[in-house]
Amino acid sequence: MLETAHRAASRRHRRRGLGLLPGLLLGLLLTAVVGLVAVPAGAAPAACSPDAATACIQGTLRTSAGEPAVGVTFDVEGPAGTFQGVTNDAGQWSVAVTEAGEYTVTLDETTLPAGESLRDPAANPKTVQADLGRRPGALFALGDPAAAPAPSASASSSDGAGSGDSPESPAAPEAGAASEGGASGESAAAEGSGNNRILQLVVSGLVFGLLLALASVGANLIYGTTGLSNFAHGDLVTLGGLIAFTAVRTWGLPLWSAIIIATAGGMVAGWLLDAGIFAPLRRRGVGVTQQLIVTIGLALSMINLYLVLYGASPLPIVSSISERIDLGPVSLSQQTILSVVIAGVVLAAVALVLQRTRIGRATRAVSDNPPLAAASGIKVASIIRGVWVSSAGLASLGGVLMGLYLGSTRFNFGSVLLLLMFAAITLGGLGSPLGGLLGALVIGLVVELSTLVLPNDLRYASALVILIVVLLVRPQGILGRAQRIG
Amino acid sequence: MDFASLLTDVLREATGPTAIAYALAAIGLNIHFGLTGLINMGQAGFMLLGAYGFAISTIAGLPLVVAFLIAIGCAVVFALILGLPTLKLRGDYLAIVTIAAAEIIRFIGRSVGLNDLTGGSQGLLGNQFKYSFEGASPFADGLVAIGPISLQMNASNSWWLRIVGWGLVALACLIVFLLLRSPWGRVLKGIREDEDAVRALGKNVYTFKLQSLVLGGVFGAVGGIVISLASSVQPDSLGRPVTFNTWTILLLGGAATVFGPVLGSILFWAALVLVRGLMRGLIPPDVLSSTEIEPLGFVLVGITLVLLIVFRPQGILGDKKELAING
Amino acid sequence: MAEPIVTDAVNPDVVAARDALRGVAHTPGVAKPTPLLVADGVRRTFGGVNAVDVEHLEVQSNVITALIGPNGAGKTTFFNLMTGFDRPDAGSWTFDGKSLAGVPASRVSKSGMVRTFQLTKALSRMTVLENMRLGARDQVGEGMGAALLRPLWRKQEKEVTEKARDLLARFKLDTKESDFAGSLSGGQRKLLEMARALMSDPTLVMLDEPMAGVNPALTQSLLGHITALRDSGTSVLFVEHDMHMVRHISDWVVVMAEGKVVAEGPPKEVMDDQAVIDAYLGSHHDTDLGDDSLLEEESVISAEAMAELEAEEEAK
């Protein structure tokens, strides 16, 4: 499954002090956090780096089981001449060309590993447009043409796209990661009989939904207390995954401590964001729309910073293959079970705090009516600070657990999930935490079950369609309250 | 490092198809946000639809004008589909629905199932659909140098595309200028300030918002056509970051102004090329490889956006007095 | 505070309407001689609480009717329902003989019933004159296509501007016409909002707390404007907490409590009614009925917030 797929990804360690960056990164307080934790271990694809005079045509090939396909030969032909590329032990290949134009990429099928074949033989050869300074990808999927698209295929395509082939969109490979994400790692286990597959998909959907709920509950709390839709929330989720990755893979810490460090790191980030940016903006009476645009700026900066520090490849937090445990007709990996248990406990704790404690009641009072809450002696500013801290902490934790469940994290991991999180909390009714949980479960189920009728690469799209349909019928969401005017 | 060639690059980019396309998209977003207060987070979706509409109908053999109209028609239909259910809801919903819808377009465009139509994630190569536009050029083919910039007259990133593109930008600015001073524009501004008040004055706010969404979306689609004529239709290059860049451009130049989006786009691309060029020239490649400089440029874009909101929310051309008033 | 306003109406319609009202019984839901607005069985619940539950109410034309009641009585909600800004759970109502149930707010306004808001909605980043022009109805240039062709609407725009300047002069805002509305004082914004509503020559003006937040120096002129409005043939229905104002300028008073109409009658009689005093003040008998500004807006919100909070609790 995915864990195995990414296990062998080659990693060229690049140690880099952040001495250069501070001048560039003024205003982005978060840098400090990232800088502290980041000793990047990005997996740069084979040695070709595009510049003004070079384009790198490249790709990653995986077997139908998700292992890197080693030693496969590609012939590349175009304006600059004829070249040959061979996949390395990470399944990656690249060819440097010095002239822009259209190139024909042919996969030499005789060099494929034993038993492997192209899933779509008609897609070989492929034509790619190579512009100088870019990394156009030429992607091929291996597997049985008749079978449902195997997760490995989409994972391979995401790797190629992940190298980014357009200067306009460093975050372009979202959809690649999207198909890599989802719960394909789990659902693929049950390709067997119909009923069993549906059951496995339902379980996967619920697991994914629960983790999505944990990752998104913070955004919901922020929205509830400040009215702000935080577009950088997804990147806080990524932050958790990256911190955990660094803690486990670079510092060699055990997973449990990585989870704690990641959560704490997220909380620090939340504190910095509010203390450094949003609290001053609120004090100056800057409108929510303007603040929303600030979060967009943050999201843009953070995702690109992650890209610089960690590269575009998937980053498996845990290297070993997790044992699968059979639970009746379905089977789950140990990591998944661990993630689900933690997510369930934490969500229950959040609900308990909101419902039963003084601070929770104060938070809900601020959500309902900040001026009234302030008038009744609640320190609104510190409540909001607390909400930011816990929101970012929960997002980070969600990022780690989601990363464990899906097998790996990535620079754009959270931003891919951002829309699903928004969809979940909008479905549930903006600002209603319980609704958010329900919304997330619905989204999880839709994402997984849609694969029964739709192609795999449209699973996230289906969740977004559901969002729009529900808003049509019930604009205030599942548990939301209608608005009062005047 | 070679400053002359860097400055030529800057000039080329600041007047090139990318700046034109983003200027058009930002003019559209200005109608949405600057005039009407609609938070459209899916402008890239309109651009992508415009590009697909134009490219696919040209590939199907339709003439240039028809393909152009089909592209605009796609944007109109998309705006209606988005607007009809959501414009009655609170503003945040529109933001979430538009960003979701733009992603849906992209997911569908790049899905394997539509490979024959959209080219899947590889997209549609420019050579498949550029001929009708290039054929419409009255100029002779060949390399033409104007000042330091030397370009093909008609092919791809050409003088012809720039002439038509800036013509479209000028037309869009004229339309916005005329609308801004009209009673129609007045209603939109009223809606931006407080739609309930406008409703209480007997205006059908919903219709006005829908008109605004459609018109701004059409400008986005035209921007999408320009960008596709310069290179290709690539779904992943018209994703969320494009929308975010467009927002930066609009706020940089100044929302609710006529020329703000245009100025914003020129400055944005000039600055980005300049900063990247300087980093490439001044930072040794073993410290920062060229692949890392590109995202670093966008880190700076994000920071610029934050700083703009904090220190100069009215942008370059905006009226400080107007923005100082907190509605 | 204020001296009684002299309201020697010169408009014969107003005199006739007042005369007719003298013969009307002082019971809740009583029929009026020439009603303009008639509501039947209008009910709106928020989380199980009846915010508005009006069995029958008629609003007489050509007079000033005050709608009073304790906080949370449902006055503003009733306004919202009548003007299409909120949908009732049940009920029907007619304005000028036409049913308005389910009609959207903009069409309600077009039919001649124009409202203002409790928290003024001056369009801050537009000039005072642009605010006024926006109030005019049926403007050709409000069509997207026509907007591009100035000759089509130049003449009408001129007329609209003239009318706007007349009204601004009447409300003593003419010197401010090119200022941003956001730079006006609270009282001036109230005046602007009222003047803007008059741009469409409404039949009935509904004012939601016109005095709230207004500088006492402006109170007098505001009261003058409202009575002048009536004398020029516009009917007025207003919600107000300032009991002096209610006493001095209204011809008829309707009292709401807990969503229901509990009393109706001429101002003096209604305000001396012990049942009204009890309903209105609850246990706070020591408070002056004429100085209701003690009751702050927060308590309205708090009552509703509590109701919603409870509803939310129930749902869980």
Side-chain angles (χ1 to χ4, degrees):
Chain A
M1 302 303 103
L2 282 169
E3 299 90 298
T4 45
H6 299 133
R7 185 177 45 147
S10 84
R11 262 158 239 106
R12 203 176 59 197
H13 287 260
R14 298 169 298 166
R15 285 174 193 281
R16 173 163 310 122
L18 282 164
L20 293 170
L21 299 180
L24 306 170
L25 302 180
L26 64 153
L28 192 70
L29 290 154
L30 202 63
T31 315
V33 185
V34 179
L36 282 174
V37 299
V39 179
C48 170
S49 64
D51 53 38
T54 319
C56 296
I57 300 174
Q58 60 185 48
T60 304
L61 192 68
R62 291 187 199 284
T63 65
S64 49
E67 299 283 356
V70 184
V72 180
T73 309
F74 290 85
D75 294 312
V76 177
E77 203 178 331
T82 308
F83 306 89
Q84 199 168 61
V86 181
T87 56
N88 62 13
D89 53 6
Q92 299 167 333
W93 64 274
S94 72
V95 166
V97 298
T98 51
E99 200 167 319
E102 285 186 13
Y103 287 80
T104 313
V105 180
T106 316
L107 184 153
D108 185 350
E109 294 191 50
T110 58
T111 59
L112 284 173
E116 295 292 336
S117 59
L118 280 170
R119 199 167 77 220
D120 181 8
N124 186 26
K126 268 188 163 57
T127 310
V128 295
Q129 171 76 29
D131 292 329
L132 297 183
R134 302 194 184 192
R135 295 170 175 271
L139 307 168
F140 296 88
L142 302 183
D144 182 356
S152 54
S154 35
S156 88
S157 81
S158 73
D159 282 353
S163 315
D165 49 7
S166 146
E168 281 83 35
S169 57
E174 281 166 7
S179 40
E180 158 199 303
S184 37
E186 294 297 341
S187 46
E191 295 283 324
S193 63
N195 272 344
N196 203 4
R197 174 150 185 242
I198 292 175
L199 197 62
Q200 182 81 41
L201 287 177
V202 168
V203 171
S204 299
L206 291 175
V207 171
F208 184 59
L210 189 70
L211 296 175
L212 195 65
L214 179 65
S216 65
V217 66
N220 212 350
L221 287 173
I222 298 258
Y223 182 86
T225 43
T226 64
L228 176 66
S229 303
N230 180 11
F231 276 73
H233 192 79
D235 303 290
L236 291 169
V237 171
T238 313
L239 182 70
L242 294 181
I243 294 178
F245 171 81
T246 309
V248 173
R249 305 304 291 272
T250 311
W251 302 338
L253 297 175
L255 184 58
W256 61 266
S257 63
I259 292 175
I260 293 171
I261 293 173
T263 310
M267 291 168 81
V268 172
W271 189 89
L272 287 173
L273 283 177
D274 190 50
I277 299 177
F278 292 100
L281 286 180
R282 280 196 305 276
R283 271 200 299 277
R284 281 167 44 181
V286 172
V288 172
T289 308
Q290 270 77 17
Q291 292 185 38
L292 183 149
I293 293 162
V294 169
T295 67
I296 290 176
L298 284 172
L300 208 55
S301 292
M302 286 162 84
I303 194 174
N304 283 291
L305 191 61
Y306 298 154
L307 182 58
V308 173
L309 294 172
Y310 285 88
S313 310
L315 314 163
I317 296 172
V318 178
S319 58
S320 59
I321 305 169
S322 167
E323 215 173 291
R324 296 193 77 86
I325 296 170
D326 287 325
L327 299 168
V330 299
S331 83
L332 296 168
S333 74
Q334 270 181 342
Q335 282 180 21
T336 301
I337 293 170
L338 176 74
S339 299
V340 166
V341 170
I342 297 179
V345 169
V346 172
L347 278 174
V350 170
L352 209 66
V353 168
L354 281 178
Q355 291 296 331
R356 298 266 178 260
T357 65
R358 262 181 92 82
I359 290 183
R361 275 195 289 270
T363 306
R364 287 192 299 149
V366 173
S367 296
D368 278 334
N369 188 326
L372 173 62
S376 31
I378 294 171
K379 292 200 178 91
V380 175
S382 23
I383 291 289
I384 293 178
R385 177 70 43 85
V387 167
W388 266 100
V389 170
S390 29
S391 161
L394 289 165
S396 274
L397 177 62
V400 183
L401 300 183
M402 192 68 102
L404 287 175
Y405 169 62
L406 298 179
S408 65
T409 184
R410 203 176 178 201
F411 78 101
N412 66 351
F413 180 75
S415 103
V416 171
L417 292 173
L418 179 73
L419 277 185
L420 291 190
M421 296 194 280
F422 275 175
I425 60 186
T426 310
L427 265 186
L430 286 167
S432 153
L434 184 67
L437 173 61
L438 276 180
L441 292 177
V442 170
I443 294 287
L445 287 173
V446 169
V447 165
E448 288 303 321
L449 290 173
S450 71
T451 57
L452 287 172
V453 285
L454 285 173
N456 222 13
D457 53 3
L458 286 179
R459 56 206 295 181
Y460 281 15
S462 64
L464 300 178
V465 170
I466 290 289
L467 165 72
I468 296 178
V469 170
V470 169
L471 285 181
L472 266 176
V473 185
R474 199 177 153 82
Q476 71 270 41
I478 301 171
L479 288 185
R481 290 176 249 141
Q483 287 286 301
R484 181 180 179 276
I485 303 163
Chain B
M1 68 178 295
D2 182 358
F3 282 99
S5 88
L6 175 59
L7 288 179
T8 308
D9 281 350
V10 168
L11 193 62
R12 195 202 311 266
E13 190 69 17
T15 58
T18 315
I20 295 171
Y22 275 85
L24 286 165
I27 289 171
L29 195 61
N30 192 24
I31 293 173
H32 294 153
F33 178 70
L35 260 65
T36 326
L38 301 176
I39 305 180
N40 170 16
M41 285 290 156
Q43 190 67 336
F46 284 99
M47 296 170 79
L48 185 55
L49 263 183
Y52 272 138
F54 180 81
I56 292 171
S57 38
T58 305
I59 291 170
L62 294 171
L64 181 65
V65 177
V66 178
F68 187 80
L69 291 178
I70 286 178
I72 287 177
C74 290
V76 172
V77 171
F78 186 53
L80 292 176
I81 291 174
L82 283 185
L84 287 170
T86 48
L87 287 177
K88 284 189 175 164
L89 309 177
R90 223 171 34 196
D92 332 44
Y93 286 104
L94 184 70
I96 290 169
V97 168
T98 45
I99 195 173
E103 290 290 279
I104 291 173
I105 299 284
R106 191 170 64 84
F107 280 135
I108 292 177
R110 76 194 299 290
S111 75
V112 183
L114 287 179
N115 247 336
D116 296 339
L117 194 63
T118 63
S121 59
Q122 296 282 327
L124 297 165
L125 297 175
N127 293 347
Q128 292 174 266
F129 59 86
K130 279 174 190 165
Y131 60 88
S132 68
F133 175 76
E134 290 169 7
S137 166
F139 305 106
D141 286 352
L143 204 63
V144 179
I146 299 180
I149 302 175
S150 171
L151 293 172
Q152 287 292 331
M153 192 64 231
N154 296 323
S156 287
N157 181 354
S158 61
W159 289 114
W160 170 233
L161 180 58
R162 285 165 192 237
I163 292 166
V164 173
W166 285 113
L168 289 169
V169 170
L171 182 68
C173 285
L174 178 69
I175 291 175
V176 170
F177 169 75
L178 291 174
L179 289 176
L180 252 175
R181 58 165 196 177
S182 75
W184 186 77
R186 183 160 66 217
V187 178
L188 294 196
K189 277 195 254 177
I191 292 170
R192 177 190 72 189
E193 297 300 304
D194 191 323
E195 61 172 84
D196 280 335
V198 177
R199 202 171 278 132
L201 294 173
K203 318 288 176 201
N204 191 340
V205 168
Y206 184 54
T207 310
F208 283 96
K209 288 207 279 193
L210 208 53
Q211 287 175 342
S212 162
L213 191 67
V214 168
L215 185 64
V218 165
F219 284 132
V222 175
I225 296 174
V226 171
I227 220 167
S228 70
L229 282 172
S231 53
S232 59
V233 184
Q234 226 289 326
D236 289 340
S237 71
L238 286 171
R240 257 186 281 167
V242 174
T243 302
F244 294 171
N245 292 346
T246 310
W247 274 92
T248 312
I249 284 168
L250 176 62
L251 295 167
L252 178 69
T257 62
V258 175
F259 296 109
V262 182
L263 183 68
S265 183
I266 293 174
L267 287 179
F268 181 89
W269 291 108
L272 203 60
V273 172
L274 185 68
V275 167
R276 279 188 195 153
L278 287 176
M279 285 198 285
R280 278 205 189 96
L282 300 176
I283 302 172
D286 51 328
V287 179
L288 269 182
S289 73
S290 58
T291 41
E292 290 166 331
I293 282 172
E294 197 154 282
L296 261 188
F298 281 98
V299 174
L300 293 182
V301 169
I303 293 172
T304 310
L305 191 52
V306 173
L307 295 179
L308 262 179
I309 296 290
V310 174
F311 294 111
R312 201 177 163 87
Q314 76 276 24
I316 294 168
L317 295 181
D319 180 349
K320 177 88 187 174
K321 235 179 19 193
E322 187 173 326
L323 222 102
I325 294 162
N326 271 316
Chain C
M1 202 166 75
E3 287 297 304
I5 303 283
V6 184
T7 53
D8 287 324
V10 281
N11 186 329
D13 290 339
V14 176
V15 177
R18 285 175 158 183
D19 283 345
L21 271 182
R22 278 195 195 104
V24 171
H26 303 163
T27 50
V30 66
K32 306 293 182 318
T34 46
L36 190 55
L37 178 66
V38 181
D40 264 303
V42 175
R43 201 176 69 239
R44 177 74 169 98
T45 54
F46 288 118
V49 181
N50 276 341
V52 165
D53 188 4
V54 171
E55 259 173 51
H56 187 80
L57 178 66
E58 296 187 2
V59 176
Q60 170 67 20
S61 58
N62 289 109
V63 298
I64 299 177
T65 306
L67 183 58
I68 65 169
N71 289 305
K75 306 178 297 283
T76 294
T77 308
F78 182 69
F79 259 41
N80 287 344
L81 292 172
M82 292 298 107
T83 50
F85 279 87
D86 193 0
R87 292 279 160 91
D89 301 312
S92 63
W93 63 99
T94 62
F95 172 72
D96 217 359
K98 293 183 292 281
S99 171
L100 282 188
V103 172
S106 61
R107 293 226 329 259
V108 169
S109 168
K110 273 188 195 155
S111 73
M113 179 157 70
V114 178
R115 70 172 294 181
T116 66
F117 294 86
Q118 188 178 338
L119 302 168
T120 34
K121 292 187 184 296
L123 306 167
S124 307
R125 290 184 293 168
M126 294 169 73
T127 65
V128 168
L129 191 61
E130 287 284 84
N131 261 274
M132 292 297 289
R133 284 177 176 147
L134 196 56
R137 212 174 278 162
D138 301 324
Q139 299 187 50
V140 178
E142 286 180 0
M144 185 162 65
L148 293 171
L149 300 168
R150 198 175 192 187
L152 289 181
W153 45 266
R154 187 182 283 146
K155 185 160 161 284
Q156 192 187 24
E157 183 82 349
K158 220 169 166 185
E159 291 162 9
V160 166
T161 307
E162 267 168 35
K163 184 173 182 184
R165 292 208 165 112
D166 279 355
L167 273 167
L168 284 177
R170 224 208 294 166
F171 282 78
K172 303 228 164 44
L173 286 170
D174 42 348
T175 55
K176 304 266 181 195
E177 75 166 47
S178 44
D179 291 7
F180 281 124
S183 68
L184 300 181
S185 74
Q188 287 170 329
R189 288 187 208 200
K190 288 266 179 198
L191 287 176
L192 173 61
E193 199 180 0
M194 206 184 293
R196 193 175 62 196
L198 298 181
M199 281 296 288
S200 61
D201 302 313
T203 323
L204 173 66
V205 175
M206 300 179 64
L207 306 172
D208 198 348
E209 301 205 21
M211 288 299 166
V214 175
N215 177 340
L218 269 177
T219 318
Q220 208 63 291
S221 78
L222 205 64
L223 293 182
H225 288 309
I226 294 172
T227 47
L229 211 55
R230 172 196 59 193
D231 295 343
S232 65
T234 308
S235 312
V236 179
L237 174 65
F238 72 97
V239 167
E240 189 49 70
H241 278 302
D242 184 329
M243 288 304 135
H244 291 297
M245 172 177 174
V246 173
R247 259 175 214 277
H248 298 150
I249 69 165
S250 52
D251 300 300
W252 191 259
V253 175
V254 175
V255 186
M256 281 181 79
E258 288 167 1
K260 294 184 164 59
V261 176
V262 293
E264 273 192 63
K268 191 157 171 29
E269 187 168 326
V270 166
M271 289 163 109
D272 292 342
D273 184 340
Q274 190 57 43
V276 172
I277 296 173
D278 288 346
Y280 205 78
L281 294 174
S283 54
H284 304 288
H285 271 249
D286 48 342
T287 318
D288 174 14
L289 247 189
D291 186 17
D292 194 46
S293 57
L294 293 170
L295 298 168
E296 289 297 319
E297 197 187 321
E298 265 99 321
S299 43
V300 182
I301 299 168
S302 89
E304 278 162 12
M306 286 313 292
E308 284 178 7
L309 211 63
E310 281 159 20
E312 195 189 344
E313 222 89 280
E314 280 166 24
K316 282 178 186 169

